[in-house]
Amino acid sequence: MLAIPVRPSRSGAPVQVSFEFFPPKTEEMEKTLWEAIARLEPIGPSFVSVTYGAGGTTRERTHATVARLVRETSLKPAAHLTCVGASCADIDAVVRDYAGAGVRHIVALRGDPPAGVGAAYEATTSGYQSTADLVAGIKAIGGIEVSVAAYPEKHPESPNLLHDVELLKRKVDAGADRAITQFFFDNSVYLRFLDVAAAAGIAIPIVPGIVPVQNFKQTAGFAKRAGATVPVWLAERFDGLDNDPVTRRLVAAAVCAEQVVDLIDRGVREFHFYTMNRADLVFAICHLIGLRAQTPAPVGPALAEPALR
């Protein structure tokens, strides 16, 4: 009888997840964010990160969201922090304020120029000149875990992938504990990047960033600005569903589950989900890969089954 190999994704392989949120701009967005947090908290993520706008444009809202996570939840927040528009002393003060509030994890980023992606980046004269410098500064303060970004298809500003890997190596040498990748849709891109990084002597965990496709056109726009490839097969799966939200959500869940399950079967055990402040698809994927809520997860009106029409 032919022996069928046991797939890790079906045998209860231990998996860890983390989630990314962005600070809300309006009361309605605030409500949506905290509904998502309440829904996902019982899964027990290893941490949750809160983003920082280009040029520090969401600085106060990021701080407020992180502070509320500390006060009102059991989650371990990781605050995004960039080099843009602040002196080293100002950034160090922010890090110390976070530490004083109980935050022990920073996602250190160079940051986009205030004029947006594509504009020329100019470091602040009195500030940290690169992400590696920022990482070293945070580590010098002490007691802070630092995650950094990685780009499996290279950063849009990098001339090639090897240059990008060299920049990642500098961040690692400065003390980075973990790298989180830009999202991707072709798993071979990520696996190839792991090989290139390992060959460069990078030994920290490189966690795949996963984005469930809430809105295909919007995600394709994000991907173009971030330098992430949208495969033809992915576009074809969402073709014709612009006016069919129910089917679109089912397809989105299937596509994301397929990607994550394949990575688990290839030995990946940690995932970082870009939630877009929505819980339903992420919660479903976590359930499919064996993660269960430690306490009953609330189901708000926005997460209930759609009415039949």
Side-chain angles (χ1 to χ4, degrees):
M1 185 181 224
L2 181 63
I4 300 175
V6 177
R7 293 174 57 181
S9 60
R10 295 181 178 177
S11 62
V15 175
Q16 288 187 321
V17 296
S18 54
F19 305 130
E20 179 175 292
F21 302 107
F22 61 86
K25 296 180 180 179
T26 66
E27 287 186 12
E28 185 60 31
M29 292 173 70
E30 180 98 6
K31 180 174 179 289
T32 299
L33 167 63
W34 289 96
E35 284 179 350
I37 290 171
R39 177 79 165 149
L40 295 172
E41 180 181 5
I43 291 174
S46 53
F47 66 91
V48 297
S49 66
V50 182
T51 64
Y52 206 67
T57 52
T58 67
R59 181 177 300 167
E60 295 307 318
R61 286 186 275 121
T62 298
H63 293 181
T65 301
V66 170
R68 185 173 171 185
L69 283 166
V70 172
R71 289 195 314 268
E72 300 181 15
T73 76
S74 62
L75 297 168
K76 296 179 180 178
H80 284 216
L81 191 61
T82 73
C83 302
V84 179
S87 68
C88 294
D90 288 342
I91 291 174
D92 291 352
V94 170
V95 174
R96 291 190 177 95
D97 285 346
Y98 274 135
V103 177
R104 296 290 185 269
H105 190 171
I106 298 288
V107 179
L109 306 163
R110 187 201 71 180
D112 294 326
V117 178
Y121 177 80
E122 295 183 9
T124 304
T125 303
S126 59
Y128 289 109
Q129 301 300 295
S130 68
T131 310
D133 292 338
L134 175 58
V135 172
I138 296 170
K139 283 297 184 179
I141 291 172
I144 304 289
E145 182 179 3
V146 178
S147 293
V148 295
Y151 300 88
E153 298 180 83
K154 83 175 187 62
H155 190 279
E157 296 176 19
S158 289
N160 54 58
L161 186 63
L162 290 178
H163 177 264
D164 231 42
V165 170
E166 172 58 30
L167 293 180
L168 177 59
K169 182 66 164 56
R170 294 178 193 173
K171 291 184 274 191
V172 173
D173 291 344
D177 300 288
R178 170 195 299 100
I180 301 170
T181 76
Q182 177 61 273
F183 66 83
F184 57 91
F185 298 106
D186 183 344
N187 287 347
S188 65
V189 165
Y190 168 72
L191 297 169
R192 180 189 65 203
F193 183 79
L194 293 185
D195 290 340
V196 176
I202 295 171
I204 64 171
I206 300 177
V207 181
I210 305 294
V211 60
V213 181
Q214 307 278 355
N215 178 307
F216 178 75
K217 288 185 177 180
Q218 184 182 61
T219 301
F222 290 155
K224 184 176 181 180
R225 293 191 293 274
T229 301
V230 178
V232 172
W233 61 262
L234 181 63
E236 289 176 345
R237 290 190 180 184
F238 288 93
D239 185 41
L241 297 179
D242 289 353
N243 299 315
D244 187 349
V246 174
T247 304
R248 190 170 65 236
R249 286 159 65 86
L250 292 172
V251 170
V255 167
C256 190
E258 178 183 33
Q259 179 181 20
V260 171
V261 165
D262 179 63
L263 288 171
I264 291 173
D265 286 340
R266 293 170 182 267
V268 179
R269 297 291 181 268
E270 189 173 356
F271 299 89
H272 186 72
F273 287 96
Y274 298 107
T275 69
M276 307 304 292
N277 288 6
R278 301 281 180 175
D280 51 351
L281 288 180
V282 176
F283 189 90
I285 302 307
C286 289
H287 185 89
L288 284 169
I289 61 177
L291 298 175
R292 297 292 182 267
Q294 298 171 10
T295 58
V299 180
L303 302 176
E305 287 290 330
L308 296 177
R309 296 185 180 182

